Amino acid sequence: MACLGLITKARFASRKRKVSHMRDLTAARHKMVQQQLVARGISDRAVLSAMREVPRHLFVDQALLDEAYDDNPLPIGNGQTISQPYMVAIMTELLDLTGKERVLEIGTGSGYQAAVLSRLCQWVFTVERIARLSERARKIIQECGYDNITFLVGDGSRGWPDAAPFDGIIVTAGAPKIPNVLVEQLADGGRLVIPVGDRFSQTLKRVVKIDDRTRVENHTGCRFVDLVGTHGWSDH
Ligand code: SAH
């Protein structure tokens, strides 16, 4: 009996530890939104609420769990990274989503950005060139129960012509220039958000397409891994 009591007690203690750990992570996530996003001027309430909701810690390497809500990008394997929370927020905010859009993401990576987008638009199409990352992202997103995302493995620098046009296109890897083929796949009024520059630093650009004309805006400086493909950098 004493022994059973001990086991039950141990189980209870472990469940309690888990619950308090989850509570810590939720607190860390709310703190991230407040200190890294609100404090730096992110004001779209839907974006803030999506980033309060999506469990970023599930998308990072589990060895880096304690750093999941830190103010920086983290490695996700294959030489790639999950973007810094602030960069995810600013790119998402620039897409100006209302909930009805079809959005193309190029560079699925961990799947975190796709998960955030899925809370804010009607459907997300996400392309990743590394099959292992796409598969990993798909599993995590399934666990989260987000069911409005379609995954594709391939060269996203060509866009996704079969699913075009898109109200929003977000490229989460650095490009040498704005690929025309992506602008062509924007719907009227559509927005393309893309880091453009050299391999070491880029400027986050937003292209707005209205009546077949485009307006290009420059936003913040940033540093992304390479967009590798036909309309990106060559694989070296
Ligand atoms: N959005 C991701 C961050 C991805 S890092 C996240 O939330 O975690 C950039 C990703 O772009 C990498 O996974 C890289 O493999 C991918 N990538 C680079 N070039 C690509 C291309 N041409 N098509 C699709 N994915 C590409």
Side-chain angles (χ1 to χ4, degrees):
M1 263 331 244
C3 185
L4 197 68
L6 263 182
I7 293 171
T8 313
K9 234 178 174 173
R11 269 208 198 125
F12 182 64
S14 126
R15 193 175 320 136
K16 231 169 118 184
R17 249 197 318 275
K18 232 184 205 163
V19 169
S20 81
H21 191 51
M22 285 313 294
R23 212 181 293 128
D24 289 351
L25 290 169
T26 304
R29 188 158 61 247
H30 284 234
K31 199 166 144 196
M32 166 195 93
V33 169
Q34 208 51 38
Q35 296 186 344
Q36 300 173 35
L37 312 185
V38 176
R40 289 190 186 129
I42 302 294
S43 60
D44 184 321
R45 292 162 77 95
V47 173
L48 296 171
S49 128
M51 290 188 65
R52 261 184 218 111
E53 174 194 329
V54 177
R56 180 172 164 94
H57 61 275
L58 298 183
F59 294 83
V60 307
D61 191 330
Q62 290 311 285
L64 300 173
L65 195 63
D66 291 342
E67 293 166 55
Y69 295 101
D70 288 0
D71 190 14
N72 43 256
L74 291 169
I76 51 170
N78 293 81
Q80 309 303 325
T81 54
I82 173 173
S83 306
Q84 175 195 22
Y86 177 64
M87 201 42 70
V88 172
I90 199 161
M91 291 178 89
T92 309
E93 192 169 62
L94 284 171
L95 285 175
D96 243 334
L97 301 171
T98 64
K100 297 190 195 128
E101 296 81 1
R102 302 166 80 253
V103 176
L104 170 66
E105 180 197 26
I106 296 156
T108 312
S110 67
Y112 176 68
Q113 172 78 72
V116 170
L117 291 169
S118 78
R119 309 295 80 210
L120 297 164
C121 70
Q122 189 199 97
W123 206 272
V124 181
F125 299 83
T126 184
V127 193
E128 170 57 54
R129 61 187 283 270
I130 302 173
R132 183 194 149 266
L133 290 179
S134 179
E135 202 40 53
R136 175 183 179 276
R138 190 196 302 255
K139 276 199 196 120
I140 300 168
I141 281 174
Q142 202 172 13
E143 262 172 50
C144 291
Y146 304 152
D147 59 2
N148 56 341
I149 305 175
T150 310
F151 296 83
L152 181 72
V153 175
D155 177 9
S157 76
R158 297 155 173 248
W160 191 329
D162 290 348
F166 303 100
D167 306 295
I169 301 181
I170 175 172
V171 183
T172 63
K177 56 181 174 35
I178 298 169
N180 214 13
V181 65
L182 297 185
V183 178
E184 282 165 13
Q185 290 177 37
L186 276 180
D188 190 38
R191 285 83 62 194
L192 162 66
V193 177
I194 180 169
V196 178
D198 60 30
R199 290 184 121 142
F200 305 101
S201 73
Q202 303 92 29
T203 302
L204 189 62
K205 293 185 182 264
R206 174 164 73 170
V207 183
V208 183
K209 181 173 168 182
I210 295 168
D211 292 337
D212 272 330
R213 297 237 296 267
T214 54
R215 181 181 80 230
V216 182
E217 305 158 358
N218 288 332
H219 291 272
T220 179
C222 52
R223 183 173 185 171
F224 277 83
V225 297
D226 292 350
L227 176 74
V228 177
T230 312
H231 302 286
W233 300 98
S234 63
D235 204 356
H236 46 165

